[in-house]
Amino acid sequence: MLQFLHDASARAAALDEKDAETVYLALWSQAFEDVDRAVASATRLLSSPSPEVRYVATRLLVQTGWTSALPPLMDALGDADLRV
């Protein structure tokens, strides 16, 4: 977590990981610095082939409470995997 908070390049690289926990920690760290950028990253991740990554992206969007997160959240409601 500390690495993601202090190193933007490590955070950006982690957003491409397959491990959902790593992706979530990177998203959270990004939101700590810039919520709008984190919303954009999470929105991009909603098209991930991994349902776990789509779940953590959806979770972060919900946690932000940002109005710009609402349209992608509406799209996530149609996800084929009910866990998302």
Side-chain angles (χ1 to χ4, degrees), residues 9-20:
S9 61
R11 187 170 52 231
L15 291 174
D16 293 327
E17 291 287 326
K18 293 185 184 338
D19 177 57

Side-chain angles (χ1 to χ4, degrees), residues 18-21 23 45-59 76 79-84:
K18 293 185 184 338
D19 177 57
E21 183 178 357
V23 172
L45 290 169
L46 290 176
S47 62
S48 170
S50 166
E52 292 83 6
V53 169
R54 293 194 310 272
Y55 171 79
V56 298
T58 301
R59 180 71 184 133
D79 196 282
D81 194 311
L82 295 177
R83 294 175 291 175
V84 175

Side-chain angles (χ1 to χ4, degrees), residues 3 11 13 27 38 43-44 54 60-61 80-81 83:
Q3 180 183 15
R11 187 170 52 231
L27 281 171
T43 299
R44 180 181 57 82
R54 293 194 310 272
L60 183 98
L61 289 170
D81 194 311
R83 294 175 291 175

Side-chain angles (χ1 to χ4, degrees), residues 24-42:
Y24 177 77
L25 292 174
L27 281 171
W28 187 93
S29 299
Q30 191 175 54
F32 188 78
E33 184 174 289
D34 184 349
V35 175
D36 290 317
R37 186 187 300 179
V39 167
S41 295

